[in-house]
Amino acid sequence: MAEAHSPLAQFEIKTLADFHLGGIDASFTNASLIMVVVVGLITLFIVAGMRNAAIIPGRFQGMVEFFYEFIANLLKENTGSAGKQFFPLIFSLFMFILGANLIGLFGAITVTSHIVVTFALAFMVITIVTIVGFVKHGTHYFSYFAPAGAPMWLMPLMIPLEVISYLIRPISLSVRLFANMVAGHVMLGVLGTFVVGLGGLFFALGAIPLVAIPMIFALEVLVALLQAYVFAILTCIYLNDAIHLAH
């Protein structure tokens, strides 16, 4: 268990309601609570923004429409008109990851800093992509693992490499998000510790991290946005491969 002064203490999972189902620990934790809060805040944001929709949008309506158009354009650019049906998936993923990333900057536990959460999201994405590929193309989807134009004598080497590359997608997708969230929050925690530890005794030394914290915080907000975007655009690219079978 991480100590209170450790920068890693912010990632500690705490049980709020102990619950077991068939020998499986299904306890409600602080991470579970934050995920519920994030979904609630996103729902409230969208409902509040569109409740009194007008031709000339107000502040909230404008923000909701901005995110809607941003994801719609992202999906269209990467999958074409055939990917329109997956808008709810991409929009939900983007908003949830963005909300979870941002809420962690204000003292709450960052659920996207836990590999089990990011891997669950990534595994869901790859599972949906695979199902879409087989539903649309049937067994011809296996041709995805045989690069077009490659000579037959290279296929025994290329096919296993393509399969490994495909199976490693959820790992790379989840680790990218997890690692960036952990690194940024640890950096903020370390700088905060420097301010507390040095500020009282050596004001000049304590002022250095104190000045750096707002800049790092702004950078973390940018990273939160960027990581949600990267997760969404990679999902679009994977969907495009499944829909159009580029190989």
Side-chain angles (χ1 to χ4, degrees), residues 83-102:
K84 250 199 268 188
Q85 59 187 312
F86 299 104
F87 174 83
L89 170 67
I90 306 301
F91 184 79
S92 299
L93 279 172
F94 176 82
M95 294 301 291
F96 176 79
I97 293 172
L98 177 60
N101 290 350
L102 291 177

Side-chain angles (χ1 to χ4, degrees), residues 50-64:
M50 302 307 296
R51 183 177 56 182
N52 299 313
I55 296 177
I56 301 177
R59 182 180 302 173
F60 275 114
Q61 183 183 341
M63 292 174 66
V64 173

Side-chain angles (χ1 to χ4, degrees), residues 149-230:
M152 289 301 297
W153 63 271
L154 267 180
M155 287 301 175
L157 175 63
M158 296 297 294
I159 291 176
L161 288 176
E162 288 291 328
V163 171
I164 293 172
S165 174
Y166 191 88
L167 294 178
I168 209 171
R169 281 179 173 181
I171 299 175
S172 61
L173 197 58
S174 59
V175 169
R176 181 184 294 106
L177 176 57
F178 150 78
N180 278 280
M181 290 301 101
V182 170
H185 284 68
V186 167
M187 187 179 299
L188 282 174
V190 170
L191 287 174
T193 302
F194 283 167
V195 171
V196 175
L198 298 176
L201 296 176
F202 308 101
F203 178 77
L205 292 177
I208 296 174
L210 185 60
V211 171
I213 284 178
M215 293 187 291
I216 298 297
F217 185 86
L219 178 62
E220 276 303 292
V221 171
L222 179 61
V223 170
L225 289 163
L226 182 61
Q227 289 305 311
Y229 169 77
V230 168

Side-chain angles (χ1 to χ4, degrees), residues 118-169:
T118 59
F119 183 79
L121 292 173
F123 185 77
M124 178 189 70
V125 166
I126 300 305
T127 301
I128 291 173
V129 167
T130 303
I131 292 173
V132 169
F134 279 110
V135 167
K136 190 167 181 64
H137 304 286
T139 55
H140 183 60
Y141 187 60
F142 284 115
S143 65
Y144 180 86
F145 304 108
M152 289 301 297
W153 63 271
L154 267 180
M155 287 301 175
L157 175 63
M158 296 297 294
I159 291 176
L161 288 176
E162 288 291 328
V163 171
I164 293 172
S165 174
Y166 191 88
L167 294 178
I168 209 171
R169 281 179 173 181

